[in-house]
Amino acid sequence: MEVIASDLISWQEKNGSWAYPGGHGDLSCTQFAILGLNAATKVGIQVPAQVWRDAIAGILLFGAQFDATSHLGTDTIKRTITGFKYRPNYTSGGTLSMTTAAIASIAVCLKQLGGKYPQKTRKEIKRTVAEGMAWINHNFTVARNYGFSSHHFYTLYGIERVGVAYGSHLGEHDWYNNGATFLIDAQNQDGHWDNDSHLTDTAFALIFLKRAPAAAAVTGGKQ
């Protein structure tokens, strides 16, 4: 684990993100690098604070702000929300998989930093997280990866990570009950789940149902 953690640190791009070998930084590589380094710290491996600060700066590059309109009764509410993209130069308004990846990854970095980051950055991060959560609430669904045509079960995994980090509801949505109901109905007769591939989709489904990142995973009852 020390060797792998050292490699991950050395592979961090200058802008704070991570990439496939020879490629450009992307948000999913960045998410899993952060998850790997977070796991390393749990067994006592030291990761420099600058790595976490740079990672947050890198994640912010993937965000796209835009105005959204929602309706509450007879009231029309307009607000700025932020969706996240696979790569910074993509022209989309973000996808559910990448927005959950960004918000959950920022939560990991902030926990690792323990509040030790500049005031200016703190304000930007707070705003971005609030706008990202608003994007998730605005575009929430457990039926697909909003904004993209694939990676559905990876998206559910992202919803689970954000839900565990920020609470039982994402805005007005009961993420766990909605997702668990979908997964129970979607399970195949032989026990697996499938979309892109049997193994990874089944793993993502089980992680969601178990709420695996929670300090004490909950598999039944009410939250």
Side-chain angles (χ1 to χ4, degrees):
M1 289 184 73
E2 289 178 346
V3 172
I4 294 170
S6 178
D7 285 341
L8 285 172
I9 292 169
S10 71
W11 294 336
Q12 189 175 26
E13 302 281 303
K14 291 181 179 180
N15 66 4
S17 67
W18 278 265
Y20 289 107
H24 299 285
D26 69 66
L27 191 46
S28 63
C29 280
T30 299
Q31 177 190 25
F32 282 99
I34 290 170
L35 289 171
L37 291 174
N38 184 59
T41 66
K42 293 181 178 181
V43 297
I45 297 172
Q46 298 297 311
V47 176
Q50 192 62 46
V51 171
W52 306 112
R53 288 194 290 266
D54 290 346
I56 293 175
I59 292 168
L60 296 179
L61 297 175
F62 294 85
Q65 280 187 314
F66 61 97
D67 294 328
T69 302
S70 58
H71 301 281
L72 182 62
T74 59
D75 296 328
T76 299
I77 302 171
K78 293 184 178 181
R79 65 180 303 182
T80 300
I81 61 178
T82 296
F84 285 80
K85 304 169 288 184
Y86 179 65
R87 288 198 175 125
N89 61 344
Y90 280 20
T91 58
S92 73
T95 67
L96 187 54
S97 61
M98 292 295 94
T99 304
T100 54
I103 299 304
S105 297
I106 289 173
V108 171
C109 294
L110 292 179
K111 185 176 180 180
Q112 288 289 342
L113 287 169
K116 297 178 180 178
Y117 46 99
Q119 185 67 31
K120 181 180 178 180
T121 306
R122 183 180 289 113
K123 291 180 180 179
E124 182 181 5
I125 293 167
K126 184 177 181 180
R127 174 189 58 76
T128 301
V129 169
E131 291 178 0
M133 292 292 284
W135 190 101
I136 294 170
N137 180 44
H138 187 75
N139 298 301
F140 182 87
T141 177
V142 297
R144 62 191 177 95
N145 177 13
Y146 182 91
F148 196 61
S149 60
S150 62
H151 304 304
H152 179 193
F153 284 74
Y154 171 51
T155 303
L156 290 172
Y157 167 73
I159 291 172
E160 182 261 354
R161 291 205 65 91
V162 173
V164 168
Y166 291 96
S168 59
H169 284 70
L170 298 179
E172 62 194 48
H173 306 286
D174 185 342
W175 67 269
Y176 184 76
N177 284 330
N178 290 346
T181 299
F182 169 82
L183 287 171
I184 291 169
D185 291 341
Q187 188 178 23
N188 289 289
Q189 288 186 346
D190 66 358
H192 81 269
W193 285 266
D194 65 346
N195 189 357
D196 297 322
S197 64
H198 292 178
L199 182 60
T200 55
D201 291 340
T202 298
F204 285 139
L206 292 173
I207 288 170
F208 182 101
L209 291 171
K210 189 174 175 61
R211 282 179 266 196
V218 182
T219 56
K222 296 182 178 179
Q223 179 176 346

